Amino acid sequence: SAVISQKPSRDICQRGTSLTIQCQVDSQVTMMFWYRQQPGQSLTLIATANQGSEATYESGFVIDKFPISRPNLTFSTLTVSNMSPEDSSIYLCSALGQDHSGANVLTFGAGSRLTVL
Amino acid sequence: AQKITQTQPGMFVQEKEAVTLDCTYDTSDPSYGLFWYKQPSSGEMIFLIYQGSYDQQNATEGRYSLNFQKARKSANLVISASQLGDSAMYFCAMRETVNDYKLSFGAGTTVTVRA
């Protein structure tokens, strides 16, 4: 399965600023997703990152707040804009690959832990 | 409506014992997949095991096995011979074909292995 590198791994940000998280996959993948995990909570899908076109956002998430780029089949970025303390979360990049049995499996990056002061 | 339900917020297990983590799901899609992920305190999500809705046999991966009861819509994870390194949060997730490979996650279960 694909190996995913995310950076930054963690950051402390000031209210009102924006931060861009980068996600690099070691092989070409058709589908990439961005998830958010608020403190003590489960994972919530933010959007599907589409190569060469605008991302597809889930209910409750908008492009102005979470702009996403995917210029090619191995790279994507998520920007958290105009941050507030409520945006303090782990942001996880994921990519669709296959496990040893051929099943389609989502592999995740190590996550980017953001704290907004 | 909740698609994935994990009713156990936290569990303790003695080292070398087995532990079962409950997961029930809700879908009308005949074709779906069920997954378990492990999240240690470091935050990464580690894929453990997968069960397809049409698979005839329960999935196994080393010390992990999935007790799939389709009629009851349950997909419990069994960890055998627990190790201290198994202490983590465990998430059950489902992918429905109609949802284009997106995963819905349960609330998670925290497992603490005691020496």
Side-chain angles (χ1 to χ4, degrees):
Chain A
S1 58
V3 176
I4 301 176
S5 302
Q6 253 185 265
K7 57 181 181 181
S9 58
R10 60 177 63 233
D11 207 341
I12 299 173
C13 309
Q14 296 300 315
R15 183 194 300 257
T17 62
S18 299
L19 182 80
T20 296
I21 301 167
Q22 297 181 4
C23 177
Q24 179 73 54
V25 188
D26 70 341
S27 58
Q28 293 186 340
V29 292
T30 53
M31 304 191 77
M32 294 180 71
F33 305 91
W34 286 96
Y35 283 83
R36 181 177 74 180
Q37 186 178 25
Q38 293 176 299
Q41 303 295 313
S42 186
L43 279 73
T44 301
L45 180 64
I46 297 172
T48 304
N50 300 310
Q51 194 268 326
S53 64
E54 194 171 283
T56 306
Y57 289 84
E58 297 300 305
S59 176
F61 297 96
V62 295
I63 188 171
D64 289 347
K65 177 67 176 177
F66 298 101
I68 288 171
S69 78
R70 189 171 174 200
N72 55 53
L73 292 176
T74 64
F75 186 78
S76 179
T77 67
L78 167 74
T79 299
V80 186
S81 303
N82 188 24
M83 285 184 284
S84 67
E86 293 70 36
D87 295 319
S88 298
S89 297
I90 300 175
Y91 294 85
L92 295 122
C93 170
S94 65
L96 185 67
Q98 290 188 327
D99 72 352
H100 63 82
S101 69
N104 290 313
V105 172
L106 274 192
T107 302
F108 286 82
S112 298
R113 191 184 298 262
L114 302 188
T115 301
V116 184
L117 303 177
Chain B
Q2 196 78 2
K3 288 181 177 290
I4 295 287
T5 302
Q6 294 181 254
T7 58
Q8 305 153 312
M11 297 187 72
F12 291 93
V13 59
Q14 205 65 30
E15 196 177 10
K16 300 180 184 177
E17 298 290 315
V19 61
T20 298
L21 309 183
D22 295 341
C23 173
T24 58
Y25 58 92
D26 182 26
T27 181
S28 57
D29 190 340
S31 177
Y32 53 90
L34 297 157
F35 303 78
W36 279 92
Y37 285 84
K38 172 184 178 181
Q39 187 179 42
S41 57
S42 56
E44 62 191 303
M45 291 286 286
I46 303 167
F47 166 71
L48 297 178
I49 195 166
Y50 164 80
Q51 179 85 43
S53 59
Y54 294 120
D55 292 343
Q56 295 297 311
Q57 293 186 318
N58 287 344
T60 61
E61 287 288 349
R63 294 187 298 111
Y64 304 108
S65 60
L66 199 152
N67 184 4
F68 181 45
Q69 298 187 44
K70 194 170 183 177
R72 296 180 57 188
K73 293 189 175 180
S74 75
N76 299 340
L77 176 71
V78 180
I79 306 174
S80 61
S82 296
Q83 303 171 356
L84 295 177
D86 293 333
S87 295
M89 178 78 88
Y90 290 81
F91 290 97
C92 180
M94 177 174 65
R95 181 187 68 221
E96 297 164 288
T97 302
V98 295
N99 276 343
D100 205 19
Y101 296 110
K102 295 181 286 189
L103 290 184
S104 300
F105 284 85
T109 296
T110 300
V111 172
T112 303
V113 181
R114 289 169 163 162

